[in-house]
Amino acid sequence: MSSRFVHVANINEIKDGEMKVVEVDGEQVYMVNIKGRFYAINNICTHEGGPLNEGILDGYEIECLWHSAHFDVKTGEVKSSPAIS
């Protein structure tokens, strides 16, 4: 995915604590608003491809419902296995 700016939503479309999935260059991107700050990471769990938008958001971490892997929504970093970096 490129590092260029791509308009995918208006800020009033994603309320605090809510998430939205958008498509950028053919890839699904998981977007979330946490206290007025917007974060975007790949919507696919690196373990077995589970959709992160169906997971549980707790603070700045999203848990994939398929196998409980955790990701930091600020960086996309894997916080717990079985997902891989």
Side-chain angles (χ1 to χ4, degrees):
M1 189 177 319
S2 72
S3 60
R4 64 184 164 69
F5 177 83
V6 177
H7 183 269
V8 294
N10 293 318
I11 59 172
N12 62 351
E13 292 179 54
I14 308 170
K15 304 214 181 318
D16 187 22
E18 290 185 354
M19 59 190 104
K20 178 178 182 152
V21 175
V22 298
E23 191 168 306
V24 178
D25 296 335
E27 292 189 45
Q28 284 194 355
V29 176
Y30 167 83
M31 294 186 63
V32 63
N33 175 354
I34 300 175
K35 299 178 183 173
R37 294 193 150 228
F38 294 83
Y39 303 95
I41 63 171
N42 193 310
N43 190 43
I44 309 236
C45 177
T46 56
H47 175 236
E48 287 194 8
L52 293 181
N53 68 299
E54 294 179 7
I56 299 167
L57 180 65
D58 183 18
Y60 291 98
E61 285 190 18
I62 182 74
E63 177 184 357
C64 179
L65 290 183
W66 284 18
H67 301 105
S68 300
H70 287 239
F71 297 84
D72 184 321
V73 298
K74 294 185 291 184
T75 64
E77 176 186 4
V78 174
K79 300 305 274 183
S80 71
S81 59
I84 57 172
S85 298

